[in-house]
Amino acid sequence: MPRALITGITGQDGLYLSELLIEKGYEVFGLIRGQNNPKLDLVKAVVPDVKLLTGDLSDVAGLTRVLSASQPDEIYNLGAISYVAYSWENASLTSDVTGKGVLNMLEATRQYEGDSTEKVKFYQASSSEMFGKVQEVPQSESTLLWPRSPYGVAKVFGHYMTINYRESYGMHASSGILFNHESPRRGPEFVTRKVTQAVARIKLGLQQELVLGNLDAKRDWGFAGDYVDAMWRMLQQPVADDYVIATGETHSIRDLLDAAFAAVGIEDWTPFVRQDPRFMRPAEVDLLIGDPSKAKAVLGWKPQVNFEELVQMMIENDLREQTALGR
Ligand code: NAP
Ligand code: F7E
């Protein structure tokens, strides 16, 4: 039975990846932080077979202990402070966790691997935020990085550290440059879920208004369930490498509003939506669109859920959830 360790087990991707690996017959360990993590019950309910170990990405000694206890064949480093807007207010903390945390995991993995001839396979959750002020359209593995937020800068550090450990120590360390991926499990601070939750509440008469920032930014949005499959495929390759994972389509926040309101039968959303500078960012990433052709050719990966299906899935979930909460 192969063993996998996942950091970020309480997050959107951690839950989908745990389900996928358990289905494939893995013994799965998850890193959980804090003394009374509020998402513990959720993890236990969704993936009861995952074995939880306490640790924090900023504590390398603790990570070393977690590796000894779990003895993983594959490590998926998904843990991060992942909310871009928050990263300006907490730039130093974001650098420590999202950036230096990757180095801590790589170093703990290198020491755990020691002189063993069996390579531990390491996955780093890199991000399309690294492209920032894009230097090429669409963005591929070779596009110059130009991050626009403390989060993006921290991810660039983690990305290059992963490549550096691969080149310096021969580690099987791969980096997935994933474009935005969403689901009914997406945190409500991110724009897709903020919109689908609000639209469901407006439809049910529980909310009157949705307040947003920049409606013109464009993102390449896919389904998280498809994207965790790409992570696993990367670690099954004989040689570690970096891959862009994206749909190759882009949509603005306005398109998202069109699709979400249309899904509940509202054609004109303008009376319900207000813009507030509070939600504007000091530096915006205007356009993201990925070129996933390398992942298609090498990993045999392609997205299964398109933009309209994704929005529909999230709206249906939020209508169910909000109906239950409204009762
Ligand atoms: P998420 O839902 O925000 O989950 C982040 C996870 O990181 C949570 O489990 C969180 O645990 C954990 N974490 C935060 N600080 C930590 C620390 N100091 N030590 C250990 N764990 C810590 O993120 P996601 O959407 O699943 O994304 C997974 C990874 O992919 C992240 O690295 C993210 O930056 C990256 N990424 C995401 C996307 C996307 O569109 N979703 C795209 C590209 C890359 P707590 O519950 O304890 O806070
Ligand atoms: O913003 C605009 C906002 O917060 C998307 C993370 O998973 O994907 C995610 O980062 C866009 C931006 O995601 C609101 O200005 C407008 O242009 O949903 P988001 P993100 O910043 O793209 C990348 C790939 C990651 O790696 C990250 O971890 O939507 N926007 N109005 C808004 N965004 C939010 N959150 N809230 C608004 O009210």
Side-chain angles (χ1 to χ4, degrees), residues 8-14 31 33 37 39 55-57 78-82 97 125-127 151 155 178-182 186 190:
I9 195 83
T10 59
Q12 170 188 254
D13 293 6
L31 183 83
R33 76 186 172 112
N37 193 306
K39 296 207 187 133
D56 193 295
L57 286 169
L78 311 186
I81 291 177
S82 77
V97 175
S126 287
S127 164
Y151 169 82
K155 280 288 179 189
L178 271 53
F179 282 61
N180 299 53
H181 46 279
E182 320 293 314
R186 188 57 143 153
F190 299 97

Side-chain angles (χ1 to χ4, degrees), residues 169-187:
Y169 305 115
M171 278 176 62
H172 192 294
S174 292
S175 181
I177 308 173
L178 271 53
F179 282 61
N180 299 53
H181 46 279
E182 320 293 314
S183 73
R185 290 177 180 158
R186 188 57 143 153

Side-chain angles (χ1 to χ4, degrees), residues 55-106:
D56 193 295
L57 286 169
S58 56
D59 176 359
V60 75
L63 297 176
T64 303
R65 272 196 302 277
V66 164
L67 286 176
S68 300
S70 54
Q71 299 278 309
D73 307 298
E74 296 176 11
I75 297 172
Y76 295 86
N77 187 35
L78 311 186
I81 291 177
S82 77
Y83 184 34
V84 174
Y86 175 90
S87 77
W88 275 280
E89 285 148 31
N90 301 275
S92 181
L93 181 64
T94 303
S95 304
D96 287 348
V97 175
T98 304
K100 173 94 184 303
V102 183
L103 174 57
N104 291 343
M105 273 307 287
L106 285 163

Side-chain angles (χ1 to χ4, degrees), residues 268-297:
D268 178 14
W269 45 261
T270 50
F272 302 103
V273 176
R274 180 165 63 83
Q275 279 185 279
D276 189 322
R278 204 158 43 100
F279 294 108
M280 304 284 190
R281 297 180 178 181
E284 180 62 281
V285 172
D286 295 318
L287 165 71
L288 289 175
I289 177 165
D291 171 5
S293 33
K294 180 176 171 185
K296 278 186 187 154

Side-chain angles (χ1 to χ4, degrees), residues 143-193:
T143 301
L144 182 72
L145 305 179
W146 196 302
R148 295 271 280 171
S149 62
Y151 169 82
V153 173
K155 280 288 179 189
V156 170
F157 175 84
H159 180 67
Y160 281 128
M161 268 303 169
T162 304
I163 294 171
N164 183 256
Y165 267 58
R166 182 167 79 216
E167 293 180 351
S168 304
Y169 305 115
M171 278 176 62
H172 192 294
S174 292
S175 181
I177 308 173
L178 271 53
F179 282 61
N180 299 53
H181 46 279
E182 320 293 314
S183 73
R185 290 177 180 158
R186 188 57 143 153
E189 65 274 36
F190 299 97
V191 76
T192 51
R193 190 77 197 288

